[in-house]
Structures are given as structure tokens and as C-alpha cells.
Amino acid sequence: MNRYILSLLLVLGLAVQEGVFAQQVFPLENMTLLELLERPDASQGIYLKDGNGRLGKYTGTWEGTFKEYKIKATISLQTKYQEQENPLVFRDRLLMQVRVFDRSGKAVPFISKVMEGEGGGHYFQVERLPPNPMGAIVEEIYQFQFTYGYTGYFLQGTLSNDMKSLTLAHAAVIILDGSGWLPEFMPRAKEAWILHRTSPVPPRPANWNPPYQGDYGHPGGGPPPKPGRPSQRP
């Protein structure tokens, strides 16, 4: 009987291992889960991977003020985070943990009876100069999703070129329960948190691209960045 159980467990283990190896791996950059779920092979599993190692430079501790509130945030990297089960979806993502304090220094609940808010990575957008898809980066935006009951709140994070400040601008709000409640310390339209790094600046990635210099004559050149969208190194 024990030999039968052991054999059964071995077969199940091999089946799980086969499912893992059959998993489809896709680049995290500029890829939405919705378009991948429409693929005929999506049932094999999906892994959105940060193959270029671009997320590490966001990690660390950050502080800033917004209106009368002080914002303290920690950003960590989660590798192969399981996002859903059917079909099985994994994603490399950033997790932002936030604590908020009022003018007196007292901690403010992020949501009823919960002192710390969490924003999980949602979408990673990287724009490069045409015609070379691997050319100099014009802009890089990472989107975090916070949840308040049935309300989804999205902040778009843009890292400065020196990696010392992070701007988290209001991107969108999705309300499912009709309440529309949002705390005062969250930015509204045209507002943003501006956080400054309090941890050591990480080393520049090996694939760091130099800032775009505006010389369109060499290969990989192209039109200048759009107005109001500053050049962004990785």
C-alpha cells in the first residue's frame, strides 16, 4: 500500500513538474495580462518575467509629504508572484507598503482598522525611441494598484534619472460598489505623491542606457520625446 501511495505521489509530482516546464514565459515590459489570456495556449500557464532586470532599481525605502500628511513607503521585489490560479499566472512585480502619518506624527489608518496599505505592481510601460526597439528609453512608468474594498486605485510611478525620487501620480480609479470612497491622503486627478529615497541608491543595472542626447543623425535616432514627457533612463 505504501509503495502504491509513493508511486502515485511520484506521478503527480511529475505531472506538476511537466506543467511548470510547459509554462509560457513573456516579457513584463509593455505586456498586459488581458491580451495574453486570449492566447490559445494560455491554459498552459503564464509567467510575466522581468528578464531585463529593470524592477530592482525601484526597491528601497521612500518618504515624502502630501497635503498635511507624511508618506513612508517600502518597495520590495517579488519574483514569480502568483496572480491567479486558473489559468495559472505568475508575475515578477514590485510591492509597495505604505504608512501614513498626520501633522502630529500619529499614524493614520490606510483603510478602516488597517494601518499599512499595500499596492501591488500592475503594469510596466517602457517607451523607446524608434526605429530601434532596444534604443534609448524615453519614458518608463510602473503602475501600482491599491484596493479599498471594491475600489481599485491606480498610481503611476516615474523614477527620476538619478534614481533618488519617485513621482506617484493619480492614474485611474475603478469603483465597483458605487461608494466612491477614497482617503484624503491619496492623490486625485493631476495630483501626485513625490517621494525621496531614504535607502542607499542601488547600483546602475548592467543594461543601463545613457540619456537621449537629441542627436537624430546616428542609427537608433528618432523624433524627440513628446512635450511634457521627460527623458527617462532605465
Side-chain angles (χ1 to χ4, degrees):
M1 183 66 179
N2 290 339
R3 182 178 299 176
Y4 171 76
I5 294 175
L6 182 61
S7 299
L8 180 61
L9 290 174
L10 179 60
V11 170
L12 290 174
L14 290 174
V16 171
Q17 188 178 33
E18 182 181 354
V20 170
F21 282 120
Q23 196 175 84
Q24 303 294 304
V25 179
F26 300 93
L28 181 67
E29 299 177 18
N30 303 323
M31 189 69 71
T32 64
L33 181 57
L34 183 61
E35 61 184 298
L36 293 178
L37 291 175
E38 294 176 350
R39 293 172 56 99
D41 56 357
S43 60
Q44 297 181 18
I46 293 170
Y47 176 23
L48 286 162
K49 184 176 182 179
D50 179 26
N52 292 324
R54 311 197 71 84
L55 295 184
K57 60 183 175 291
Y58 291 87
T59 60
T61 54
W62 304 82
E63 289 187 9
T65 56
F66 179 73
K67 297 180 179 178
E68 297 182 354
Y69 298 95
K70 185 169 186 176
I71 312 294
K72 291 187 176 183
T74 300
I75 300 178
S76 56
L77 175 62
Q78 294 182 316
T79 303
K80 211 167 186 181
Y81 169 82
Q82 184 174 336
E83 192 162 298
Q84 68 177 55
E85 292 185 0
N86 189 22
L88 200 59
V89 174
F90 295 92
R91 178 195 297 268
D92 291 344
R93 72 166 195 170
L94 295 174
L95 177 68
M96 176 181 287
Q97 296 168 294
V98 180
R99 290 182 66 88
V100 181
F101 301 85
D102 62 18
R103 183 183 296 177
S104 68
K106 180 180 178 181
V108 177
F110 205 85
I111 191 172
S112 180
K113 298 181 180 180
V114 178
M115 301 306 294
E116 186 174 78
E118 288 192 352
H122 183 70
Y123 178 60
F124 188 37
Q125 174 185 345
V126 179
E127 290 192 15
R128 304 173 189 272
L129 285 169
N132 182 359
M134 296 305 293
I137 291 189
V138 177
E139 186 175 62
E140 182 175 296
I141 293 175
Y142 191 83
Q143 192 173 84
F144 294 90
Q145 177 181 355
F146 293 84
T147 303
Y148 299 95
Y150 294 99
T151 300
Y153 194 94
F154 299 88
L155 294 179
Q156 288 192 161
T158 304
L159 191 65
S160 65
N161 289 341
D162 60 8
M163 300 193 296
K164 294 181 180 180
S165 64
L166 180 65
T167 300
L168 291 151
H170 172 277
V173 178
I174 299 177
I175 300 170
L176 299 180
D177 64 351
S179 65
W181 176 84
L182 285 175
E184 186 181 18
F185 51 77
M186 295 298 285
R188 269 56 173 178
K190 299 182 179 180
E191 294 181 335
W193 288 346
I194 299 178
L195 307 181
H196 303 282
R197 191 187 293 271
T198 55
S199 57
V201 177
R204 293 188 177 188
N207 61 350
W208 185 275
N209 291 322
Y212 184 63
Q213 300 296 328
D215 179 6
Y216 315 129
H218 66 279
K226 298 176 183 178
R229 307 181 77 173
S231 295
Q232 179 71 37
R233 291 192 295 193

